[in-house]
């Protein structure tokens, strides 16, 4: 996180709590866990101060030598913490440039453990490799070569993510963020049972907490994998895609499709429809089953997709959807290990080539997620003294 030392701090340097807070912040920057911005005037005052120990003054001296770069951070990041001495509670506001600002009494840094990274709570810590890849892509795209993103990854125990988030936020010892899957399989569905309590709780405390709960419009982390990885997993070749998409036909299908539809056939037809939004809601692990038709939004969405690709499917033939038939496959998925399998393919891909391989839908998701994680996890190259 970017911490900004405001000028009001200079008036309270004799306070032992402020000295300890600035020493903690300097140590966090030395270790590369967080970033610091202060104006040249503030840095020079801190460097000259007889109230501070030598160590924090040395760190501020090093930062002062790079003051022009520090100022650029104010434009690079959409979130920051401003350390001030003239308030007693956390305050949040949006500045004139639309950036989110947390005004934090500097005395709070006494309790905040800055020497460890911000906490990132995930439903499954295995998901972080995907988020880390998105962060690396976003850093490269923005040319932030001297920014390092660090997190202390905390497992949310699946459906227990809201409980873990609540415990960590109440503890007030760390910066705490979370990312949770929406579990939506169609655009107009409600959020899933895992994320609902998390967002409900966060909305009650968001204006006074040192953290953030984040989600974006995708079913789960597998939906962030680019389609070219699923093409390879489904043994779909470039020539098949080209011939199927480019051949002029009066119908999108070359033969009548019946359920369950194989993934490869479904993917080709969605390409033909140019409906990339479908890939945000598809359940890659389980596929689409009759369960996904149980609510009116899912029924309308998937019935329309199936109709558009030429599948003779009438959901009324399968009603009532109950415990006996709800698992009936409509479109095949893969398996519970699909994230690891597709990530192996993604991991072999040059980051510089990704812009040509990502759909516009996925680029938007990646940018939103990457920016969120960079803002909360940003640190620098560790400072080393001779």
């Amino acid at each position: 996180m970017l911490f900004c030392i405001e000028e009001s701090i200079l008036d309270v340097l004799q306070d032992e709590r402020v000295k300890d807070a600035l020493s903690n912040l300097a140590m966090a920057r030395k270790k590369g866990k967080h970033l610091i911005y202060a104006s040249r005037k503030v840095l020079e005052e801190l460097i000259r101060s007889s109230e501070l120990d030598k160590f924090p003054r040395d760190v501020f001296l090093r930062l002062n030598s790079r003051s022009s770069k520090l100022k650029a951070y104010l434009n690079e990041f959409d979130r920051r913490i401003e350390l001030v001495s003239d308030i007693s509670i956390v305050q949040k506001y949006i500045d004139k440039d639309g950036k989110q600002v947390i005004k934090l009494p500097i005395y709070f840094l006494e309790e905040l453990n800055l020497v460890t990274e911000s906490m990132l709570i995930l439903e499954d810590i295995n998901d972080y490799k995907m988020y880390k890849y998105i962060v690396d892509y976003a850093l490269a795209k923005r040319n932030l070569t001297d920014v390092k993103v660090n997190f202390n990854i905390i497992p949310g125990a699946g459906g227990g993510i809201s409980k873990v988030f609540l415990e960590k936020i109440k503890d007030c010892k760390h910066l705490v963020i979370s990312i949770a899957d929406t579990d939506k399989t169609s655009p107009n569905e409600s959020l899933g049972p895992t994320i609902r309590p998390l967002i409900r709780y966060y909305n009650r405390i968001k204006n006074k907490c040192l953290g953030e709960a984040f989600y974006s419009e995708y079913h789960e982390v597998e939906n962030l994998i680019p389609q070219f990885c699923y093409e390879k997993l489904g043994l779909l070749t470039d020539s098949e895609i080209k011939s199927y998409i480019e051949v002029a036909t009066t119908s999108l299908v070359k033969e009548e499709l019946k359920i369950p539809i194989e993934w490869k056939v479904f993917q080709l037809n969605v390409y033909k429809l140019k409906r990339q939004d479908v890939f945000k809601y598809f359940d890659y692990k389980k596929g689409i089953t009759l369960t996904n038709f149980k609510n009116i939004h899912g029924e309308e969405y998937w019935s329309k997709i199936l109709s558009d690709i030429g599948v003779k499917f009438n959901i009324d033939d399968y009603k009532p959807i109950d415990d006996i038939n709800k698992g009936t496959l409509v479109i095949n998925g893969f398996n519970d290990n699909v994230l690891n399998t597709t990530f192996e393919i993604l991991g072999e891909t040059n980051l510089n080539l990704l812009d040509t391989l990502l759909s516009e839908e996925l680029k938007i998701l990646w940018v939103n997620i990457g920016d969120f994680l960079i803002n909360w996890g940003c640190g620098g190259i560790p400072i080393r003294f001779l």
Side-chain angles (χ1 to χ4, degrees):
M1 174 58 85
L2 175 62
F3 286 83
C4 301
I5 306 174
E6 298 300 301
E7 197 168 328
S8 65
I9 301 302
L10 300 177
D11 298 327
V12 290
L13 290 180
Q14 71 282 359
D15 190 315
E16 291 298 326
R17 296 172 300 167
V18 174
K19 295 177 190 178
D20 289 344
L22 290 173
S23 291
N24 290 342
L25 185 61
M27 179 59 74
R29 178 59 192 90
K30 179 182 182 297
K31 291 179 175 292
K33 304 300 184 183
H34 300 282
L35 294 174
I36 297 174
Y37 166 77
S39 68
R40 183 177 288 276
K41 174 185 175 181
V42 170
L43 285 172
E44 289 177 350
E45 290 280 352
L46 293 173
I47 293 164
R48 288 196 299 265
S49 174
S50 59
E51 300 288 351
L52 298 182
D53 292 336
K54 182 177 184 300
F55 168 70
R57 287 189 285 113
D58 285 346
V59 171
F60 297 137
L61 180 63
R62 183 67 65 88
L63 294 178
N64 195 40
S65 68
R66 305 175 64 247
S67 59
S68 60
K69 180 62 178 176
L70 297 186
K71 191 168 185 178
Y73 288 155
L74 295 177
N75 294 322
E76 289 290 355
F77 301 110
D78 297 325
R79 296 166 176 83
R80 67 180 184 271
I81 292 177
E82 292 182 350
L83 299 172
V84 295
S85 65
D86 53 357
I87 62 173
S88 58
I89 59 172
V90 175
Q91 297 177 2
K92 293 186 177 182
Y93 71 97
I94 305 297
D95 73 7
K96 61 182 177 59
D97 298 315
K99 298 181 184 297
Q100 299 178 37
V101 181
I102 302 174
K103 289 180 76 76
L104 183 68
I106 191 166
Y107 313 104
F108 280 34
L109 292 196
E110 268 194 303
E111 302 298 324
L112 199 59
N113 186 350
L114 294 177
V115 183
T116 59
E117 305 90 341
S118 300
M119 285 186 172
L120 171 58
I121 305 172
L122 299 173
E123 294 177 57
D124 185 340
I125 59 175
N126 190 47
D127 295 348
Y128 183 63
K129 63 186 176 186
M130 185 63 223
Y131 292 122
K132 176 67 167 63
Y133 192 89
I134 290 173
V135 165
D136 290 343
Y137 164 81
L139 288 172
K141 198 168 176 60
R142 293 168 59 178
N143 199 31
L144 294 175
T145 55
D146 62 340
V147 172
K148 307 298 178 187
V149 175
N150 313 284
F151 287 106
N152 179 15
I153 309 300
I154 305 295
I161 190 170
S162 58
K163 181 180 178 182
V164 176
F165 182 79
L166 170 61
E167 290 173 352
K168 299 302 182 184
I169 281 286
K170 279 187 171 180
D171 190 37
C172 294
K173 298 290 186 184
H174 302 86
L175 303 180
V176 181
I177 64 171
S178 67
I179 299 182
D181 302 332
T182 68
D183 294 328
K184 291 171 61 174
T185 55
S186 64
N188 295 321
E189 280 182 41
S190 301
L191 296 174
T194 296
I195 194 173
R196 273 201 306 271
L198 172 65
I199 298 304
R200 187 167 55 244
Y201 172 72
Y202 172 67
N203 285 337
R204 291 204 304 266
I205 54 104
K206 64 181 179 182
N207 290 325
K208 57 185 178 181
C209 73
L210 296 177
E212 188 173 349
F214 177 91
Y215 69 92
S216 195
E217 190 70 3
Y218 58 92
H219 175 63
E220 54 190 358
V221 71
E222 285 80 5
N223 299 77
L224 298 174
I225 294 282
Q227 281 305 302
F228 73 87
C229 298
Y230 288 110
E231 289 169 11
K232 292 185 178 180
L233 194 61
L235 303 178
L236 190 57
T237 66
D238 290 342
S239 59
E240 282 180 295
I241 297 171
K242 186 174 182 179
S243 64
Y244 198 85
I245 301 301
E246 294 183 357
V247 170
T249 59
T250 56
S251 170
L252 291 175
V253 292
K254 297 179 180 179
E255 66 278 325
E256 181 179 315
L257 294 179
K258 298 178 181 178
I259 68 166
I261 304 168
E262 289 298 320
W263 164 256
K264 178 177 177 179
V265 176
F266 175 70
Q267 188 179 35
L268 278 171
N269 281 283
V270 171
Y271 282 175
K272 187 81 171 181
L273 283 172
K274 298 182 180 178
R275 287 290 304 273
Q276 291 287 336
D277 61 291
V278 171
F279 299 128
K280 292 193 295 187
Y281 304 108
F282 188 80
D283 188 331
Y284 287 99
K285 289 187 285 193
K286 298 178 182 177
I288 297 300
T289 68
L290 291 183
T291 297
N292 302 114
F293 293 77
K294 287 186 73 173
N295 69 74
I296 186 63
H297 300 300
E299 178 179 329
E300 289 176 352
Y301 184 75
W302 288 106
S303 293
K304 177 70 165 60
I305 294 295
L306 292 170
S307 174
D308 287 350
I309 65 175
V311 180
K312 295 186 181 303
F313 176 85
N314 186 347
I315 189 60
D316 291 335
D317 294 339
Y318 297 89
K319 290 181 177 180
I321 300 172
D322 53 29
D323 288 343
I324 296 174
N325 70 352
K326 67 181 182 181
T328 301
L329 270 171
V330 179
I331 307 168
N332 283 330
F334 293 93
N335 53 58
D336 287 345
N337 197 44
V338 67
L339 178 63
N340 291 328
T341 309
T342 49
F343 190 80
E344 288 178 9
I345 299 169
L346 183 61
E348 297 170 353
T349 307
N350 189 314
L351 280 171
N352 296 324
L353 297 177
L354 274 177
D355 267 347
T356 63
L357 298 171
L358 293 178
S359 68
E360 290 305 313
E361 293 270 356
L362 210 50
K363 281 181 186 177
I364 292 170
L365 286 176
W366 278 34
V367 166
N368 289 341
I369 294 166
D371 285 350
F372 170 74
L373 292 172
I374 289 170
N375 275 274
W376 280 100
C378 63
I381 298 169
I383 295 174
R384 308 196 184 281
F385 299 114
L386 296 177

